[in-house]
């Protein structure tokens, strides 16, 4: 990746963060913390890595993305709108009755959404199914599943992890948005997960650590994951919940909380204002 391209993607991430704060402040609902922590991951995937066509969302042979941590829907919608899957004007209707942009992603309402998510823990098993389906069809496509820290406390995640290893699903790439915080507190307070790399490797996965706020490092990690055959890969992306807004960073209280006027003004100042 050239320095110029990296700067372009970083600037886009800054725009997304500003737009996210604008949007969630305007509707007084939504999930800021987990959206801010996976901004670079989604930006790198949609604007540098994935093979998708906004004009033909159901294109055969496309890559698939499953936002298993469905509460981060606001940043996914911003990315999809910027990519051209639907008009940006729709964003103002987020979480409104009858809107195509529900509080959690809905495959039946929103172009570009591959799976309805919200109940945590289900995305990896569905993503495995997508990856195996593509293999059966002879397609060289990849399925990416973005999971959260609290989510991987679900038993069904590990059942899917075992199955993916058994079926040698090397076109399945999971991302763990490893910000160390969940709804009710830190991971260590709620349910310590120990050595995450060792745990996933014990389940037969190739694990690639990366800086989840560095678009170049994310792309490097995906490239390394694709180079390994015969096993699924987990990109262990170190992130910060609420990244970019000081009073949100690392705070579980900002998992899902309305942004008041004073907080909005401070966040915008820290993010550099409108971009």
């Amino acid at each position: 990746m050239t320095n110029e391209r990296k700067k372009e993607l970083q600037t886009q991430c800054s725009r997304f963060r500003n737009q996210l704060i604008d949007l969630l402040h305007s509707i007084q609902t939504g999930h800021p913390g987990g959206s801010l922590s996976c901004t670079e991951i989604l930006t790198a995937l949609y604007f540098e890595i994935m093979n998708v066509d906004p004009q033909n969302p159901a294109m055969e042979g496309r890559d698939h993305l499953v936002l298993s941590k469905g509460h981060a829907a606001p940043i996914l919608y911003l990315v999809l709108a910027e990519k051209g899957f639907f008009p940006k004007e729709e964003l103002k209707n987020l979480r409104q009755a009858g809107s195509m942009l529900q509080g959690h992603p809905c495959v039946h309402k929103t172009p570009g959404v591959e799976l309805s998510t919200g109940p945590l823990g289900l995305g990896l098993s569905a993503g495995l199914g997508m990856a195996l389906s593509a293999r059966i069809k002879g397609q060289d496509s990849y399925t990416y599943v973005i999971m959260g820290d609290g989510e991987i406390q679900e038993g069904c995640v590990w059942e899917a992890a075992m199955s993916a290893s058994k079926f040698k699903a090397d076109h399945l790439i999971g991302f763990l948005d490893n910000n160390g915080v969940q709804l009710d507190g830190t991971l260590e307070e709620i349910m310590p997960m120990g050595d995450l790399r060792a745990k996933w490797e014990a389940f037969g996965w190739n694990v690639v650590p990366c800086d989840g706020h560095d678009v170049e490092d994310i792309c490097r990690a995906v490239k390394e994951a694709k180079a390994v055959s015969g096993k699924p890969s987990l990109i262990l992306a170190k992130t910060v919940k609420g990244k970019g807004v000081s009073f949100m960073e690392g705070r579980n209280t900002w998992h899902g909380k309305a942004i008041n006027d004073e907080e909005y003004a401070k966040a915008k100042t820290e993010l550099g204002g409108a971009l």
Side-chain angles (χ1 to χ4, degrees):
M1 180 182 292
T2 65
N3 288 334
E4 182 180 2
R5 180 57 178 160
K6 181 176 181 178
K7 186 176 180 179
E8 288 174 357
L9 291 172
Q10 289 174 326
T11 298
Q12 184 60 66
C13 290
S14 294
R15 289 196 189 98
F16 282 142
R17 284 195 165 87
N18 269 281
Q19 291 166 4
L20 179 82
I21 296 301
D22 289 341
L23 179 59
L24 298 189
H25 172 253
S26 69
I27 64 173
Q28 284 297 288
T29 184
H31 294 78
S35 293
L36 291 167
S37 72
C38 64
T39 299
E40 282 81 8
I41 295 172
L42 285 170
T43 301
L45 286 171
Y46 276 100
F47 291 93
E48 192 68 16
I49 297 170
M50 290 174 58
N51 175 30
V52 294
D53 182 1
Q55 303 308 311
N56 182 15
M59 176 182 71
E60 280 294 314
R62 71 189 181 279
D63 290 334
H64 293 76
L65 182 133
V66 174
L67 184 67
S68 196
K69 46 169 284 181
H71 52 275
I75 189 63
L76 175 64
Y77 296 154
L78 285 166
V79 170
L80 290 176
E82 183 67 30
K83 189 73 177 175
F85 280 94
F86 55 83
K88 293 180 182 179
E89 291 73 25
E90 289 289 342
L91 291 167
K92 67 179 183 297
N93 299 318
L94 171 63
R95 293 180 75 106
Q96 305 305 304
S99 170
M100 65 182 287
L101 303 180
Q102 295 295 295
H104 289 71
C106 179
V107 68
H108 303 296
K109 290 180 176 288
T110 313
V113 170
E114 298 284 359
L115 182 75
S116 298
T117 55
L120 295 176
L122 303 182
L124 191 59
S125 56
L128 172 59
M130 293 175 186
L132 294 179
S133 174
R135 176 196 290 175
I136 291 170
K137 294 175 182 177
Q139 298 169 346
D140 188 29
S141 60
Y142 284 82
T143 300
Y144 301 89
V145 180
I146 301 179
M147 297 170 282
D149 281 319
E151 176 177 16
I152 63 166
Q153 296 161 1
E154 302 278 359
C156 50
V157 170
W158 300 102
E159 293 179 45
M162 285 190 291
S163 296
S165 178
K166 180 245 190 313
F167 290 112
K168 304 183 189 307
D170 52 15
H171 278 48
L172 174 65
I173 298 178
F175 269 88
L176 180 58
D177 182 7
N178 183 211
N179 61 40
V181 183
Q182 58 190 99
L183 174 61
D184 291 327
T186 67
L187 214 60
E188 291 303 308
E189 291 170 335
I190 306 302
M191 183 61 66
M193 294 300 293
D195 187 333
L196 287 170
R197 179 169 189 168
K199 194 173 259 88
W200 283 92
E201 287 179 341
F203 275 74
W205 285 57
N206 169 51
V207 178
V208 186
C210 80
D211 180 346
H213 294 305
D214 184 327
V215 289
E216 184 176 21
D217 204 35
I218 291 166
C219 292
R220 184 270 311 165
V222 171
K223 184 177 180 180
E224 286 189 19
K226 289 182 175 181
V228 173
S229 61
K231 60 170 62 177
S233 289
L234 186 280
I235 296 177
L236 187 56
K238 187 62 181 174
T239 59
V240 176
K241 196 177 187 83
K243 175 68 173 178
V245 181
S246 64
F247 58 87
M248 293 184 184
E249 289 189 350
R251 306 287 181 85
N252 69 290
T253 50
W254 283 99
H255 177 85
K257 178 184 174 183
I259 304 169
N260 66 32
D261 292 345
E262 182 180 349
E263 292 160 342
Y264 172 69
K266 184 175 182 182
K268 291 291 286 184
T269 297
E270 292 184 0
L271 291 170
L275 291 174

